[in-house]
Amino acid sequence: MNEIVKQIRKDLSLLGIKKGDHVLVHASLNSVGKFPYRANIIVQAFLDQIGEEGTLLMPSLSYKTVNKAQPVFDELNTASCVGALTEFFRTYPGVKRSIHPTHSVCGIGSKSDFLLKDHLLDETPCGPCSPFARLPQIGGKVLFLGCGSKPNTSMHAVEEQIIPPYLFGEKVSHTLQLSNGNAIKKTYQRHGFKGYEQRYDRLLDVLEPAEYRTGKILEAKSIVMMASAIWEKGIKYLKQDPFYFIDRAN
């Protein structure tokens, strides 16, 4: 186990992840290889690498299960629908969760309160108070662990700045069941994307070499992008062409 942690930390170092970094991780757990307690080992290695000064974030999205037909979001019990590692991290000791019915984020570390605490104020998935919008403000990074760079939720925050024609769908009223026992009713505008395929991998075509790194973490092909670069280039190219980061779905 210790040898695997050492190797993960070495791989993270080569990708530019260091002590004090604030990192949002999208992940495919199977991509790293199969070994016992792998989710716990990966999380521990990440936390060791960034130290107490850093912050580790993972999306705990629930848009597949919390919807118009099932409108209740439970802070403590609603599962993440974006992978086994994110679901493991959601219940990891000390981890906190932002309050949003479909696009919550879990985190632990020095900036977790700043990144998570005000997500409830937004009325869209990735508004200005969301962790996705705040991460660039503190020099954060986005890491894609074996999943490619298409599942880039930070780009939704960028899109919400420009509001391309495909972005928003219907409004849905939700009940938010909080960990303190209180319940809040709130209406949110969901994302749409009907008829379109997201192509956020196109960021790699426009980022400068200094704004991202590629490599491996164990067996997983991985990419690290500067959150501020995602924001800058995303806005630039969406202003030029609001359909730059999508294709028509087959």
Side-chain angles (χ1 to χ4, degrees), residues 168-182:
F168 285 123
E170 64 181 344
K171 290 187 176 182
V172 177
S173 295
H174 290 283
T175 298
L176 311 173
Q177 185 63 53
L178 306 184
S179 59
N180 62 9
N182 294 334

Side-chain angles (χ1 to χ4, degrees), residues 146-162:
C147 58
S149 58
K150 279 188 179 181
N152 187 347
T153 315
S154 296
M155 277 298 296
H156 294 332
V158 175
E159 288 167 322
E160 287 195 20
Q161 294 292 303
I162 305 300

Side-chain angles (χ1 to χ4, degrees), residues 45-200:
F46 272 69
L47 292 176
D48 289 350
Q49 183 68 12
I50 64 176
E52 293 182 359
E53 305 96 324
T55 310
L56 181 61
L57 302 170
M58 293 190 195
S60 49
L61 311 189
S62 49
Y63 59 88
K64 291 182 180 178
T65 56
V66 181
N67 47 47
K68 191 173 184 178
Q70 171 48 267
V72 178
F73 167 80
D74 188 319
E75 179 184 357
L76 293 179
N77 298 306
T78 296
S80 168
C81 69
V82 285
L85 185 62
T86 67
E87 177 59 9
F88 173 83
F89 185 64
R90 183 180 70 80
T91 62
Y92 193 82
V95 165
K96 299 177 181 179
R97 189 179 198 176
S98 72
I99 305 301
H100 192 281
T102 61
H103 283 67
S104 65
V105 176
C106 288
I108 188 171
S110 65
K111 297 293 185 181
S112 58
D113 282 346
F114 168 74
L115 292 163
L116 303 176
K117 66 183 178 72
D118 292 330
H119 200 178
L120 177 61
L121 301 178
D122 287 332
E123 297 178 352
T124 59
C126 305
C129 298
S130 72
F132 307 106
R134 288 190 169 182
L135 187 62
Q137 299 174 24
I138 56 172
K141 300 175 180 179
V142 181
L143 189 155
F144 304 91
L145 175 65
C147 58
S149 58
K150 279 188 179 181
N152 187 347
T153 315
S154 296
M155 277 298 296
H156 294 332
V158 175
E159 288 167 322
E160 287 195 20
Q161 294 292 303
I162 305 300
I163 313 182
Y166 57 80
L167 182 60
F168 285 123
E170 64 181 344
K171 290 187 176 182
V172 177
S173 295
H174 290 283
T175 298
L176 311 173
Q177 185 63 53
L178 306 184
S179 59
N180 62 9
N182 294 334
I184 299 172
K185 291 187 180 296
K186 187 170 180 178
T187 298
Y188 290 85
Q189 187 157 32
R190 292 175 69 97
H191 284 160
F193 292 97
K194 187 175 181 179
Y196 294 98
E197 175 191 1
Q198 297 165 12
R199 290 298 310 275
Y200 304 132

